[in-house]
Amino acid sequence: MILSSTAVHPLRHASDLTTQVITDVPAFLELQRHWNELLDASVSRTAFLTWEWLHSWWTHVRGNASLSAIAVRSGSQLIAIAP
């Protein structure tokens, strides 16, 4: 599931796009506020896509799974996340 909202953060130029692969807990923690802001503006808004839900799942259910999420930004604005 990809969370995105170009209505809130329209693309300026494709060259402004950057991606970040999140593989460690500190980077995942830093996304909380921006993640929920993006989700609030998304048509994909459900409790199961909140940062809090995914953090709880990661903390308690992950087993030996590796953390992996992709954050996409246009300039400095977070415009999509693929958990």
Side-chain angles (χ1 to χ4, degrees), residues 19-57:
T19 58
Q20 174 188 13
V21 178
I22 308 296
T23 58
D24 60 67
V25 175
F28 184 65
L29 294 172
E30 289 177 20
L31 283 177
Q32 181 179 8
R33 180 175 61 92
H34 300 289
W35 184 301
N36 286 334
E37 288 172 357
L38 185 62
L39 182 59
D40 286 342
S42 172
V43 297
S44 301
R45 184 176 43 200
T46 72
F48 301 108
L49 292 177
T50 62
W51 182 92
E52 290 79 8
W53 176 271
L54 293 168
H55 179 265
S56 294
W57 180 90

Side-chain angles (χ1 to χ4, degrees), residues 54-71:
L54 293 168
H55 179 265
S56 294
W57 180 90
W58 175 250
T59 303
H60 301 289
V61 184
R62 73 174 183 247
N64 292 328
S66 298
L67 176 62
S68 185
I70 299 172

